[in-house]
């Protein structure tokens, strides 16, 4: 978005970029992830996506 004054551009407004996470924060999130049962995962995917694809 451009901010104008008397029809002349004087500023530009842009969203701030999200801050990245630290390695410690990413590891903490990773440690809290639930375990994945491969058979159940495959069954869930097959129920949503055509298995012949």
């Amino acid at each position: 978005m451009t901010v104008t004054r008397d029809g002349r551009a004087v500023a530009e407004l842009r969203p701030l970029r999200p801050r990245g996470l630290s390695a410690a924060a990413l590891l903490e999130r990773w440690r809290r992830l639930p375990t994945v049962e491969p058979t159940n995962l495959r069954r869930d995917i097959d129920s949503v996506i055509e298995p012949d694809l």
Side-chain angles (χ1 to χ4, degrees):
M1 176 184 293
T2 303
V3 178
T4 61
R5 184 174 186 184
D6 292 327
R8 295 176 53 199
V10 294
E12 184 178 320
L13 297 175
R14 289 178 276 142
L16 294 174
R17 291 184 181 186
R19 293 183 182 174
L21 294 173
S22 68
L26 289 173
L27 285 172
E28 182 59 32
R29 285 185 178 188
W30 178 75
R31 287 184 186 108
R32 287 191 258 149
L33 288 174
T35 58
V36 175
E37 183 64 42
T39 306
N40 293 341
L41 176 61
R42 182 61 188 214
R43 185 176 48 242
D44 288 347
I45 292 171
D46 286 345
S47 72
V48 177
I49 300 173
E50 202 171 314
D52 297 334
L53 290 176

